[in-house]
């Protein structure tokens, strides 16, 4: 089985648990995985219900010394990481190595903003949830339980999208100019193209 350098997954509109299980199987097989836009992951169920569940989780701590754990991550990327950890034998060397192959980010930082991103169809909300079912956006939930960087991430994402739009428009303009130039010189290029075709190009 051949591996890619890293599979970059766009977390937007994926269900947290289903995506985590797909990632766990992939990293255990030896493939590196990078997940971006973790703040736009979804959890099935209404917002209030999920918030109550998370607040209940926050109450679980070591009575003697809370510094011993359990540790309650607030950032969406760390929540995803912890979910994947629960699906991996992380106390063995194999599981530890597998977890080291996973990276998760809020937003799309460089250099991943210029790389091809993919989705996991089996984990998409539109595929797995019925249309009228309630769902919760992980970034909103994180903001309610102590994550402070939601606004910063949204600002950086707006800048990235504006930059990407400008790049795409420039690319289309160059392609249009090329097509027009080829159409203008089609008569002159006919003999050259015939020669190249004869040579197998």
């Amino acid at each position: 089985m051949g591996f890619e350098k890293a599979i970059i997954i766009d977390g937007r509109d994926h269900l947290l648990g289903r995506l985590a299980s797909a990632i766990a199987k992939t990293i255990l097989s030896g493939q590196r995985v990078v997940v971006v836009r973790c703040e736009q992951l979804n959890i099935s169920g209404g917002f209030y219900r999920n918030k109550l569940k998370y607040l209940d989780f926050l109450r679980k701590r070591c009575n003697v010394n809370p510094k011993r754990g359990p540790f309650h991550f607030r950032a969406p990327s760390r929540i995803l990481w912890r979910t994947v950890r629960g699906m991996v034998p992380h106390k063995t060397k194999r599981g530890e190595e597998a977890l080291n192959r996973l990276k998760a980010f809020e937003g799309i930082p460089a250099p991943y903003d210029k790389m091809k991103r993919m989705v996991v169809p089996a984990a998409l909300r539109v595929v797995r949830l019925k249309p009228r079912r309630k769902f919760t956006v992980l970034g909103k939930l994180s903001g309610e339980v102590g994550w402070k960087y939601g606004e910063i991430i949204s600002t950086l994402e707006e800048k990235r999208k504006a930059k990407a739009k400008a790049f795409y428009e420039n690319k289309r303009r160059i392609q249009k100019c090329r097509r027009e130039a080829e159409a203008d010189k089609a008569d002159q290029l006919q003999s050259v193209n015939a020669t190249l075709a004869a040579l197998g190009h």
Side-chain angles (χ1 to χ4, degrees):
M1 178 184 171
F3 295 117
E4 297 175 39
K5 270 193 174 178
I7 294 172
I8 297 144
I9 299 171
D10 188 349
R12 182 172 175 266
D13 290 338
H14 285 72
L15 290 172
L16 175 64
R18 288 182 180 274
L19 180 63
S21 64
I23 291 168
K25 289 183 83 169
T26 307
I27 59 176
L28 280 168
S29 72
Q31 174 66 58
R32 292 181 186 278
V33 175
V34 178
V35 187
V36 294
R37 290 214 276 192
C38 289
E39 76 282 359
Q40 292 188 34
L41 284 167
N42 297 156
I43 306 171
S44 59
F47 173 73
Y48 186 65
R49 174 188 170 85
N50 279 307
K51 186 181 174 183
L52 287 179
K53 283 165 80 173
Y54 204 88
L55 292 174
D56 189 49
F57 168 59
L58 289 180
R59 282 194 287 274
K60 292 175 171 61
R61 64 179 204 159
C62 177
N63 229 359
V64 177
N65 182 3
K67 286 183 182 177
R68 291 178 183 172
F71 304 109
H72 312 100
F73 297 120
R74 267 68 165 202
S77 59
R78 298 304 283 166
I79 290 172
L80 173 69
W81 181 87
R82 196 178 198 274
T83 310
V84 174
R85 188 188 71 175
M87 301 177 182
V88 166
H90 65 97
K91 293 185 180 181
T92 66
K93 187 67 179 171
R94 175 173 170 255
E96 187 187 335
E97 293 281 325
L99 271 182
N100 289 337
R101 292 186 203 107
L102 171 64
K103 287 182 181 178
F105 300 97
E106 290 87 20
I108 309 181
Y112 306 113
D113 56 341
K114 291 183 173 66
M115 293 184 185
K116 188 175 176 65
R117 299 180 288 277
M118 50 177 43
V119 297
V120 180
L124 283 171
R125 188 195 77 239
V126 291
V127 176
R128 307 308 306 193
L129 279 191
K130 288 182 179 177
R132 287 176 292 281
R133 296 296 186 200
K134 292 179 181 177
F135 64 91
T136 305
V137 178
L138 188 58
K140 186 183 175 186
L141 180 64
S142 292
E144 290 285 315
V145 295
W147 184 54
K148 298 178 285 189
Y149 302 102
E151 286 184 19
I152 293 171
I153 292 295
S154 60
T155 306
L156 289 171
E157 278 292 278
E158 282 170 20
K159 285 182 182 176
R160 180 190 66 79
K161 285 174 185 174
K163 196 175 172 184
K165 187 181 178 184
F167 171 80
Y168 180 65
E169 284 173 357
N170 186 45
K171 183 181 173 183
R172 284 192 67 185
R173 186 177 55 77
I174 291 167
Q175 285 174 341
K176 187 183 176 185
C177 291
R178 185 190 174 98
R179 282 196 302 271
E180 286 173 358
E182 284 176 354
D184 288 344
K185 302 290 181 181
D187 297 335
Q188 294 175 28
L189 290 171
Q190 203 166 7
S191 59
V192 177
N193 289 337
T195 309
L196 289 171
L199 294 168
H201 292 289

